[in-house]
Amino acid sequence: MFRSRGQFVSSWQTRFSRQWKLEFHTAPAGLRQDVFHAQAEDLSSASLLSTFKTPTREPQTLTEKIVQRHSVGLLKDKVVRSGDYVTISPSRCMTHDNSWPVALKFRSIGASKIHRPSQVVMTLDHDVQNTSETNLTKYRRIEDFARGQGVDFYPAGRGIGHQIMVEEGYAWPGTLAVASDSHSNMYGGVACLGTPVVRTDAASIWATGRTWWQVPPVAQVMLLGSLPKGVTGKDVIVALCGLFNHDEVLNHAIEFTGSEETLRSLGVDDRLAIANMTTEWGALSGLFPLDGVLQSWLRSKAHAAGQQSLLASEGHSRFTQARLDELFANPVSADRGAKYSKRLYLNLSTLSPHVSGPNSVKVVTPISELEKEELKIDKAYLVSCTNSRASDIAAAARVFKEAAESQAQGCAAQVADGVQFYIAAASQLEQRAAEEAGDWQTLLRAGARPLPAGCGPCIGLGTGLLEPGEVGISASNRNFKGRMGSTEAKAYLASPEVVAASALSGKICGPGWYEKPTDVDHVLRGFGEGHTGTDRVMSVQDGLEQLVAQADSIVQGAEMAVLGKSEPTQTQARAATTEILPGFPEKIQGTIVFCDADNINTDGIYPGKYTYQDNVSVSQMAQVCMSNYDPSFSSIAQAGDVLVAGYNFGCGSSREQAATAILAKKISLVVAGSFGNIFSRNSINNGLMGVEVPRLIGRLREVFGSTPTQDTTSEAVTEPSGNRESLDSPPSSSPSTINAVGIDKASPSSTTRTDWTFTWDIRQSMIYVREGKDGPTWEQRVGELPANVQEIIAQGGLEKWVRKELDGQGGKTPDVI
């Protein structure tokens, strides 16, 4: 949100005009204020310096090139860079079960006709097991709306939206596709820049074809070596989430690179799984290049499309040999010498099968070590858009086939007694392929329980959820506490073959396919490019310190070059006042309610089981606000309080209710060490204010928490040891506090109502903290709250602001944003 130090650019300082047209604002670094600094938090990128001039021929990353292609209203010769605020016109915009809430927003802003129907795709995939009349009515409304608007529509049971986007060719290499769902990162597996938007953004795209976006800092992840036998793409991303678990890529765009040999070891299905879970790694996108592997996959899709019409879909016309010829003749790729904010590397040859959890993607353990624990399981899941394609189902079936071959003739291997094994294909097409291969039937004969193609247990909806005290292992993407059922259950993530082997044996184990190289004793990874020498031996912490030092040097040098100083003095800061719109409060003040945890995700703020219930009242939202994080929060927090939390607050899914539930609790201001990107966007779009004050988090933890004080002298964000297990992640930066079996050694109180007060002087861009009735008071400069942001907040959010603007234009939909 708003930050104490001027660094990149303001999320809304770049003028979001009354005509909805974003204009570029270039100013000296020391004068530019932040709204959501976490959207561009790494300043080691040379793109910081590019904000002082307009380059014309400097090399671009693949992300920047794709965004350039989909940006409208750019100034002549403008080259898109990380940190820029642009008006984007994505090639596709997908919505799922939230299509009806988006439609209501669309109508509430005064729009009636979707601007470009071919841009929009609607799928029903989340709550497909729910046959209540309420849900069926909502589904009928969505279908009727889609048919009436002339957009492509896929009914419940057809498949998960992200899988449909890929298999139907909506997610096309070199294009930008968005979805009102956080796992749109998956499109990067087919070289399509996929990134999430929130519901209000989706309504804006429906109405105008466009919305706003800030180009994130871009991180390059270099993959070295080749995957060993028995190691999968799921193991790659599980390892990356756990081995780089200090928010190294938080709110970054990721570009995966590697040699031809390395990339040849990663099939498209592996890439889709990796790109999908870059969301859990904290990234806004995960992009693979258009290489020979992807070209072969696309050719096979075009060949299949030319041979037959699958189901009743007309979408396969998107896969044509002529279109591929044009794509391959003019591929888009990163320029040589492109500037990345940071570089990480992982040597695939040194990787073994890994398991994530319990209840966190940031805690990972090699399967060889976890097997020694003999952890019994109650449920196993081969579901979700991450790993339930035909190849994944085949891998799971192979486990049971090999087990049957080792038994007496004619005896089929069975799921272990006391274990429930649920399977759901990513789509009907993937299930059909698995049935044609006989793999689906193999799993059914083994005792697996089939579910319709959809999200189901992955999002905590439908049959087979985890009950209190149970242990589950899943091939899905999230194992947040309470995500797949009870908050008193433990959830692990692994590859399809590990899930199947665990279901077969009744305890977490692998199928025995991994062949460990003789010269490997640990996973090689780090910062840099992975060359021999310093890069290879550089630890993660050393890399963080180096990047922070480099960032500080760049910031200070740039500020001194432009302003002759590195920081404005307090006197100068106070002299620069912010314009306050009539009726907007000059100050906001309240008692601090402290939630001492990092990575409190949107499930923790607003439970997923309420997300797709459209009849939840404001009072009910207030009652369940933060209930998955702390059931006692509702009775502790009071109207007018200031909610203060740790770092990366609001990570996870794109649900807007994470912001509106806090507002329902009559809390208008959230303070955190940092915010998740989607939550930041949702907050402004819904009128919730927020400001980032890392120093306050450190002081509160010194006084009220059992966690060590966060280092607020640099931009490094590390979870404190002893941090309470939050819904997103246990204290991964200090593995000693929680082990793979799920024993939490330190658990301070969840919510503390303090006697401290927090005051935000908006006119002076200052915050004041009084540490108790008779305690000391300290102050700190924060980012400016520009007048245009005040206007949006004052109107109650972007939706109401847009409606006001449309009313002022006689109800006409703006041509530009």
Side-chain angles (χ1 to χ4, degrees), residues 357-358 363-365 370 373 375 490 492 508 735 738-743:
V363 174
V364 297
T365 309
L370 206 56
E373 303 290 343
L375 293 174
K490 292 186 175 69
Y492 295 82
I508 296 179
I738 186 169
N739 58 26
V741 188
I743 300 176

Side-chain angles (χ1 to χ4, degrees), residues 611-783:
T611 302
Y612 298 100
Q613 295 181 22
D614 298 330
N615 59 347
V616 179
S617 67
V618 173
S619 61
Q620 288 175 316
M621 291 185 73
Q623 186 67 29
V624 302
C625 177
M626 301 292 291
S627 61
N628 262 0
Y629 163 73
D630 180 5
S632 64
F633 177 86
S634 178
S635 61
I636 296 174
Q638 299 178 13
D641 284 346
V642 174
L643 172 59
V644 180
Y647 291 79
N648 199 21
F649 182 80
C651 56
S653 73
S654 60
R655 68 194 61 167
E656 291 189 330
Q657 295 98 323
T660 56
I662 295 173
L663 289 169
K665 189 63 180 171
K666 296 185 179 180
I667 293 174
S668 61
L669 175 60
V670 181
V671 182
S674 62
F675 291 91
N677 177 274
I678 295 178
F679 181 83
S680 300
R681 194 174 187 103
N682 270 327
S683 294
I684 287 293
N685 283 354
N686 288 280
L688 176 66
M689 301 177 68
V691 61
E692 295 181 343
V693 188
R695 178 183 175 187
L696 176 59
I697 313 308
R699 285 293 298 136
L700 287 167
R701 283 175 170 165
E702 288 175 2
V703 177
F704 297 100
S706 61
T707 58
T709 304
Q710 192 77 286
D711 176 13
T712 60
T713 62
S714 73
E715 301 303 326
V717 174
T718 56
E719 293 180 331
S721 60
N723 175 31
R724 183 182 188 278
E725 179 180 353
S726 69
L727 298 189
D728 181 20
S729 57
S732 54
S733 61
S734 180
S736 62
T737 64
I738 186 169
N739 58 26
V741 188
I743 300 176
D744 191 355
K745 300 178 181 179
S747 182
S749 59
S750 302
T751 305
T752 302
R753 183 175 181 79
T754 74
D755 60 350
W756 292 22
T757 58
F758 183 94
T759 303
W760 183 4
D761 187 328
I762 297 171
R763 180 178 294 279
Q764 298 296 334
S765 296
M766 297 289 294
I767 62 98
Y768 301 90
V769 176
R770 189 182 70 183
E771 298 185 355
K773 183 177 181 181
D774 301 317
T777 297
W778 52 270
E779 62 188 48
Q780 184 172 314
R781 173 78 167 170
V782 296

Side-chain angles (χ1 to χ4, degrees), residues 35-74:
V35 176
F36 299 129
H37 86 281
Q39 293 181 346
E41 49 96 69
D42 189 341
L43 303 181
S44 62
S45 170
S47 61
L48 173 67
L49 300 181
S50 74
T51 63
F52 298 111
K53 59 183 180 179
T54 302
T56 55
R57 288 188 175 84
E58 290 187 18
Q60 289 177 295
T61 64
L62 178 56
T63 300
E64 290 168 338
K65 279 191 170 184
I66 293 176
V67 175
Q68 179 100 37
R69 288 184 169 192
H70 292 80
S71 297
V72 296
L74 293 177

Side-chain angles (χ1 to χ4, degrees), residues 327-410:
L327 174 66
F328 300 160
N330 300 283
V332 57
S333 61
D335 291 326
R336 185 182 300 275
K339 305 298 183 182
Y340 293 93
S341 69
K342 60 182 66 173
R343 285 183 168 89
L344 289 70
Y345 72 87
L346 175 70
N347 191 317
L348 301 183
S349 298
T350 66
L351 191 62
S352 65
H354 277 63
V355 176
S356 167
N359 298 347
S360 171
V361 297
K362 291 189 174 185
V363 174
V364 297
T365 309
I367 188 65
S368 58
E369 295 182 17
L370 206 56
E371 285 175 334
K372 300 173 185 178
E373 303 290 343
E374 296 194 346
L375 293 174
K376 293 184 179 180
I377 65 168
D378 301 285
K379 291 184 173 75
Y381 305 89
L382 181 54
V383 299
S384 88
C385 53
T386 315
N387 281 115
S388 59
R389 284 170 279 277
S391 62
D392 303 311
I393 297 168
R398 178 187 166 192
V399 172
F400 285 90
K401 289 176 181 177
E402 291 183 352
E405 292 173 358
S406 65
Q407 297 178 7
Q409 187 173 6

Side-chain angles (χ1 to χ4, degrees), residues 256-490:
F256 292 99
T257 62
S259 68
E260 182 179 351
E261 179 182 1
T262 295
L263 294 177
R264 196 162 48 238
S265 71
L266 291 170
V268 170
D269 285 357
D270 286 316
R271 300 178 188 194
L272 291 171
I274 293 170
N276 182 292
M277 276 192 65
T278 57
T279 300
E280 280 63 43
W281 199 14
L284 299 178
S285 62
L287 193 57
F288 278 85
L290 174 59
D291 65 345
V293 173
L294 180 55
Q295 289 183 11
S296 297
W297 182 86
L298 290 167
R299 288 293 189 192
S300 67
K301 294 286 288 185
H303 176 74
Q307 295 297 313
Q308 58 184 338
S309 176
L310 300 179
L311 295 180
S313 171
E314 299 176 359
H316 290 273
S317 62
R318 282 176 284 278
F319 291 103
T320 66
Q321 299 295 352
R323 190 181 183 195
L324 293 180
D325 290 340
E326 180 180 357
L327 174 66
F328 300 160
N330 300 283
V332 57
S333 61
D335 291 326
R336 185 182 300 275
K339 305 298 183 182
Y340 293 93
S341 69
K342 60 182 66 173
R343 285 183 168 89
L344 289 70
Y345 72 87
L346 175 70
N347 191 317
L348 301 183
S349 298
T350 66
L351 191 62
S352 65
H354 277 63
V355 176
S356 167
N359 298 347
S360 171
V361 297
K362 291 189 174 185
V363 174
V364 297
T365 309
I367 188 65
S368 58
E369 295 182 17
L370 206 56
E371 285 175 334
K372 300 173 185 178
E373 303 290 343
E374 296 194 346
L375 293 174
K376 293 184 179 180
I377 65 168
D378 301 285
K379 291 184 173 75
Y381 305 89
L382 181 54
V383 299
S384 88
C385 53
T386 315
N387 281 115
S388 59
R389 284 170 279 277
S391 62
D392 303 311
I393 297 168
R398 178 187 166 192
V399 172
F400 285 90
K401 289 176 181 177
E402 291 183 352
E405 292 173 358
S406 65
Q407 297 178 7
Q409 187 173 6
C411 294
Q414 295 292 304
V415 173
D417 291 340
V419 175
Q420 299 174 28
F421 183 23
Y422 294 94
I423 60 174
S427 71
Q428 284 184 350
L429 300 187
E430 294 295 326
Q431 180 173 332
R432 175 179 295 183
E435 290 171 342
E436 291 175 351
D439 297 322
W440 187 261
Q441 295 89 327
T442 295
L443 295 179
L444 294 182
R445 286 194 296 269
R449 304 183 182 191
L451 299 173
C455 301
C458 175
I459 196 175
L461 294 173
T463 302
L465 304 187
L466 289 173
E467 300 293 336
E470 289 188 333
V471 175
I473 187 166
S474 176
S476 54
N477 44 41
R478 281 191 181 147
N479 58 349
F480 301 159
K481 184 179 178 182
R483 164 83 175 182
M484 300 182 66
S486 171
T487 57
E488 298 176 20
K490 292 186 175 69

